[in-house]
Amino acid sequence: MKMMDKAEKCLDPQLWHACAGGLVQIPPLNSKVFYFPQGHAEHSNGPVCFMASPNIIPSFILCKLTAVNYMADRYTDEVFARITLVPLKADDFDLDDDWPKMAHQNHEKAAKSSFAKTLTQSDANNGGGFSVPRYCAETIFPGLDYSSKPPVQTIVAKDVHGESWKFRHIYRGTPRRHLLTTGWSNFVNQKKLMAGDSIVFMRAENGELCIGIRRAKLGGFGGGPEFGVGQGLKGFDDADGARKVVPESVAQAAALAAIGRQFEVVYYPRASAPEFVVSAYSLSHSMKVQWSSGMRFKMPFETEDSSRISWFMGTISLVQVADPIRWPDSPWRLLQVLHHTLNRTLENNAYQA
Amino acid sequence: MKMMDKAEKCLDPQLWHACAGGLVQIPPLNSKVFYFPQGHAEHSNGPVCFMASPNIIPSFILCKLTAVNYMADRYTDEVFARITLVPLKADDFDLDDDWPKMAHQNHEKAAKSSFAKTLTQSDANNGGGFSVPRYCAETIFPGLDYSSKPPVQTIVAKDVHGESWKFRHIYRGTPRRHLLTTGWSNFVNQKKLMAGDSIVFMRAENGELCIGIRRAKLGGFGGGPEFGVGQGLKGFDDADGARKVVPESVAQAAALAAIGRQFEVVYYPRASAPEFVVSAYSLSHSMKVQWSSGMRFKMPFETEDSSRISWFMGTISLVQVADPIRWPDSPWRLLQVLHHTLNRTLENNAYQA
DNA sequence: GACAGTTGTCGGCCTTTCCGACAATTGGC
DNA sequence: GCCAATTGTCGGAAAGGCCGACAACTGTC
């Protein structure tokens, strides 16, 4: 492993997944995936002009995923992935059927050893304390010696950049509860956290405690094409934001993909935009379903505190091609659905069901 | 420069010299030096048993200095050097007469761009402020904009491990003076500083500000053979202290030296023990002097705040061999002197005069 | 030895943050 | 729907740290 950091360091994939959330999965190395230029465009922070290249970009391109860099924004700690794809010939489409077994590894390990909490007003604003949910303290934090009075210890947690943060962890109050006191206020200020943001604690395989951040999504639930990626986070000048997915890089990726050459894409899992690099295995399975109006489905989503996965129940109201002129035959945004309880029109990708 | 840190990083030689103090000099690379096993033994933290090797260890051994690692204790920030020596045949003793020109480089640069202050009670104990001597603020710190009211800036200083510390630097009060406020208290606590310890500010050649520590010498002035190196610093469990110069490593070095093989020594410049690796050039010069009782000399020493060099005036009271049985013909501790003003017997090495 | 410049120490006060009390909320039965 | 467990919020209190006042000290003339 040579000096590979040109100011861009990778981070522990397990921590990356813990920060990305339970629903994000990156297909395994060397597996086959579909790349959707259309979805990539929705991921960008502006309208994409595909004109630079001959108007022959397909709506989806079969590729081999040859590399993944798990990374984090230098300023916001937001996680993202740099994915290298090599287009395959269409007749290479024999599925690697064994990937579901291996795909969920980091994923499940992250879920088991991590815990997320959305910051309350008291956590974020008040005099510098963080109320630690009992489950988190007991399963993620180092063991506390309850015999001392009061039980107290210093915990050290590494952020996505490998920087260490110290917190005083104390068990006190009536009724007793776990709190982070000294050090927490500093962390909140340095990371510019606000009520509504979440923090993730994870116990790494080497036993080290890690701490990650999930900024609150400003756009509320779901998002859609109307929300770009670079919507800007409060309190940050757009230093790194400028480096987020720009339309030019989408056009370039699509152009390279179309002529069969290796290309790179940057994927922000928490940007409320759908995945545009999709495992060929799962897509081919969902395409076998004959989606039709009136059909019911359920779709997983994260609860606010990321502690569980809940399910949306819905009914398909319309099966249509999103942009029949530009992208005929595209499975992208094929379904328009009616959500049962919120009675709100959502958009969804076929393969997510 | 390959990955050469087996958890042992070198530090900027200029900062090293600033921390070591104005009187410490390490002979230049590839110059000829004398190694004194006797002096090395005084540097160790316990009695040295030279018996393991045949009883033929000379009192001094001519060597070539082939490598120097400038280092700092991980816990106390104390600076020390790991010096590699290759014994030379006695007939190799032709002097490299050009070294005085080059020897003082780091030395003088460090002296010019650094400033040391001994911490007062107020600096160390009170509510977290450090009174910055005007000279230090004006010559070492980055320029302050005096037009704002009050003039204030954040300064960043790197310690010997390359870690950055932030301080608020403000110019206020009546009469006006420079102070470090926010950040200082944290630094004092982390570094376990006490009144009497000194801190060193240095402006590196690349413009960066550096901060080093000189722990107070617990043994008062001078020290001597009765003080070992590992005298223990208040507030530190002896984690690294155990790694200081142990008798075994002295015995090993002496044994290797005696049979003409390359060896390493560790030298703590602030351990109040005399240098035991001495430039052949300067030693040969001082040995040309016919030292005799009643002769007067002067000897440089550091003032408490390390801002200047002062001189001790003394009279030689006795010329004797320190241990005539074990080390006959040794120039080590040849002179016993009477100090004029303190009227206290000090010991000194011939070559230091 | 007086004076000017510098810097050590102190007490006041403002800010931060630590703390238990209490209440709101959640989940289990 | 009740009860127990958990955890959000609040105001009081303690600690930390910023401040100018003043005095002690140093070096100079």
Side-chain angles (χ1 to χ4, degrees):
Chain A
M1 186 162 166
K2 287 182 265 183
M3 295 203 176
M4 48 114 70
D5 48 4
K6 41 166 191 175
E8 286 195 337
K9 276 184 276 188
C10 291
L11 72 116
D12 174 22
Q14 208 180 328
L15 178 58
W16 192 95
H17 275 95
C19 294
L23 289 176
V24 173
Q25 39 182 297
I26 303 288
L29 274 186
N30 298 318
S31 69
K32 297 197 176 73
V33 298
F34 285 107
Y35 165 65
F36 289 86
Q38 210 173 348
H40 196 188
E42 290 182 11
H43 213 70
S44 119
N45 56 8
V48 176
C49 173
F50 288 108
M51 291 312 168
S53 49
N55 196 5
I56 50 155
I57 296 177
S59 61
F60 56 97
I61 296 161
L62 182 66
C63 298
K64 184 163 143 185
L65 190 158
T66 59
V68 181
N69 281 7
Y70 293 103
M71 311 211 284
D73 186 283
R74 198 168 3 149
Y75 298 104
T76 66
D77 285 20
E78 227 179 336
V79 293
F80 64 94
R82 184 183 305 282
I83 299 172
T84 307
L85 299 173
V86 178
L88 298 173
K89 289 176 191 133
D91 55 5
D92 263 347
F93 186 56
D94 55 327
L95 289 174
D96 20 33
D97 269 310
D98 53 338
W99 87 259
K101 292 180 222 121
M102 49 195 277
H104 292 273
Q105 282 188 359
N106 284 321
H107 213 256
E108 282 174 5
K109 277 186 292 188
K112 231 190 315 192
S113 60
S114 75
F115 186 92
K117 182 194 174 186
T118 300
L119 268 50
T120 64
Q121 292 287 353
S122 296
D123 290 331
N125 301 337
N126 275 9
F130 174 76
S131 191
V132 186
R134 171 177 297 273
Y135 178 83
C136 175
E138 290 180 350
T139 65
I140 311 292
F141 284 10
L144 187 57
D145 174 19
Y146 290 95
S147 67
S148 41
K149 41 185 184 323
V152 64
Q153 67 181 337
T154 299
I155 68 173
V156 179
K158 284 194 174 173
D159 67 16
V160 288
H161 312 296
E163 215 174 319
S164 290
W165 299 83
K166 284 181 191 163
F167 303 103
R168 193 167 86 118
H169 168 207
I170 191 167
Y171 185 68
R172 63 165 173 79
T174 42
R176 294 271 181 269
R177 94 281 313 275
H178 292 270
L179 294 162
L180 297 186
T181 57
T182 312
W184 173 253
S185 176
N186 181 46
F187 182 78
V188 168
N189 291 333
Q190 297 283 319
K191 298 294 193 189
K192 300 194 205 303
L193 294 175
M194 307 185 316
D197 295 336
S198 304
I199 67 158
V200 177
F201 285 105
M202 192 195 78
R203 174 169 283 284
E205 286 184 313
N206 62 8
E208 282 183 340
L209 191 64
C210 299
I211 185 167
I213 294 171
R214 293 183 195 155
R215 307 276 170 188
K217 292 169 183 164
L218 277 67
F221 182 82
E226 68 276 17
F227 292 100
V229 173
Q231 58 215 17
L233 286 150
K234 279 178 194 157
F236 291 92
D237 25 347
D238 224 14
D240 236 34
R243 279 184 39 216
K244 284 191 177 160
V245 185
V246 291
E248 291 71 28
S249 64
V250 177
Q252 192 197 2
L256 285 170
I259 60 172
R261 292 188 44 197
Q262 169 177 311
F263 62 105
E264 280 187 353
V265 297
V266 168
Y267 169 56
Y268 279 81
R270 297 202 63 78
S272 306
E275 298 166 25
F276 56 87
V277 174
V278 185
S279 124
Y281 177 87
S282 25
L283 180 59
S284 71
H285 275 255
S286 41
M287 292 303 279
K288 285 177 188 152
V289 179
Q290 289 293 327
W291 299 98
S292 58
S293 289
M295 184 182 270
R296 295 193 169 203
F297 70 97
K298 64 178 185 176
M299 165 188 160
F301 71 102
E302 264 184 319
T303 53
E304 182 136 313
D305 66 353
S306 302
S307 63
R308 297 167 306 146
I309 306 284
S310 293
W311 294 89
F312 265 124
M313 309 300 281
T315 308
I316 295 167
S317 63
L318 185 61
V319 178
Q320 67 169 15
V321 174
D323 183 348
I325 300 172
R326 181 69 191 80
W327 308 100
D329 307 322
S330 167
W332 187 256
R333 290 195 182 278
L334 193 63
L335 307 181
Q336 191 161 58
V337 303
L338 259 174
H339 183 257
H340 283 184
T341 54
L342 290 178
N343 198 22
R344 176 175 156 191
T345 303
L346 296 173
E347 290 175 288
N348 185 25
N349 294 334
Y351 60 85
Q352 282 189 335
Chain B
M1 188 162 167
K2 284 183 263 183
M3 296 205 176
M4 47 112 72
D5 49 3
K6 39 167 191 176
E8 289 195 336
K9 275 184 277 189
C10 291
L11 72 117
D12 174 21
Q14 207 179 328
L15 178 57
W16 192 94
H17 274 96
C19 294
L23 289 176
V24 173
Q25 37 181 299
I26 303 286
L29 276 187
N30 297 318
S31 68
K32 296 195 177 75
V33 298
F34 285 105
Y35 165 65
F36 289 86
Q38 209 174 347
H40 196 188
E42 290 182 10
H43 213 69
S44 121
N45 57 7
V48 176
C49 172
F50 287 109
M51 290 313 166
S53 49
N55 196 5
I56 50 154
I57 297 176
S59 61
F60 56 96
I61 297 161
L62 181 67
C63 298
K64 184 163 144 184
L65 191 159
T66 59
V68 181
N69 281 7
Y70 293 103
M71 310 212 284
D73 186 284
R74 201 171 358 152
Y75 299 103
T76 66
D77 286 20
E78 226 180 337
V79 294
F80 63 94
R82 185 183 302 283
I83 300 172
T84 308
L85 299 173
V86 177
L88 298 174
K89 287 174 192 138
D91 54 5
D92 264 346
F93 187 55
D94 55 325
L95 289 174
D96 20 34
D97 269 309
D98 53 337
W99 87 260
K101 295 179 218 119
M102 50 196 276
H104 293 273
Q105 284 187 0
N106 284 322
H107 214 257
E108 282 174 5
K109 277 187 292 189
K112 233 189 318 194
S113 60
S114 76
F115 186 92
K117 182 195 175 188
T118 301
L119 268 50
T120 64
Q121 292 287 352
S122 296
D123 292 329
N125 302 337
N126 275 8
F130 173 77
S131 192
V132 186
R134 172 176 297 274
Y135 179 82
C136 176
E138 290 180 348
T139 65
I140 311 291
F141 285 10
L144 188 57
D145 174 18
Y146 290 96
S147 68
S148 40
K149 41 186 185 328
V152 66
Q153 67 181 339
T154 299
I155 67 173
V156 178
K158 284 194 175 172
D159 68 15
V160 288
H161 309 110
E163 217 175 318
S164 290
W165 298 85
K166 285 182 191 162
F167 304 103
R168 192 166 88 117
H169 168 206
I170 191 168
Y171 185 67
R172 63 164 173 82
T174 43
R176 295 271 181 270
R177 93 281 314 274
H178 293 270
L179 294 162
L180 297 186
T181 57
T182 312
W184 173 253
S185 175
N186 180 45
F187 182 78
V188 168
N189 291 334
Q190 297 284 318
K191 298 295 191 187
K192 300 195 206 302
L193 294 176
M194 307 184 314
D197 295 336
S198 304
I199 67 157
V200 177
F201 286 105
M202 192 195 78
R203 174 168 282 287
E205 287 185 311
N206 61 8
E208 281 183 342
L209 191 64
C210 299
I211 185 167
I213 293 171
R214 294 183 196 156
R215 306 278 170 187
K217 293 168 183 163
L218 277 68
F221 182 82
E226 68 275 18
F227 292 101
V229 172
Q231 58 216 16
L233 287 151
K234 280 179 193 156
F236 292 93
D237 25 347
D238 224 16
D240 236 35
R243 280 185 38 215
K244 284 190 177 162
V245 185
V246 291
E248 290 71 30
S249 65
V250 177
Q252 194 195 1
L256 285 169
I259 60 172
R261 292 189 46 197
Q262 170 176 312
F263 61 104
E264 280 186 353
V265 298
V266 168
Y267 169 56
Y268 280 80
R270 298 203 60 79
S272 305
E275 297 166 23
F276 55 87
V277 174
V278 184
S279 124
Y281 177 85
S282 26
L283 180 60
S284 71
H285 275 257
S286 41
M287 291 304 279
K288 284 178 191 151
V289 177
Q290 289 295 328
W291 299 97
S292 57
S293 289
M295 185 183 268
R296 296 194 166 202
F297 71 97
K298 64 178 186 176
M299 166 187 159
F301 72 100
E302 264 183 318
T303 53
E304 183 136 311
D305 65 353
S306 301
S307 63
R308 295 167 308 146
I309 305 284
S310 293
W311 295 88
F312 265 124
M313 309 301 280
T315 307
I316 295 166
S317 63
L318 182 63
V319 178
Q320 68 168 16
V321 174
D323 183 346
I325 300 173
R326 181 68 190 80
W327 308 100
D329 307 321
S330 168
W332 188 255
R333 289 193 185 278
L334 193 62
L335 308 181
Q336 192 163 56
V337 304
L338 258 176
H339 183 256
H340 282 184
T341 55
L342 291 178
N343 198 21
R344 178 174 153 190
T345 302
L346 296 171
E347 289 176 288
N348 185 29
N349 293 333
Y351 61 84
Q352 282 189 335

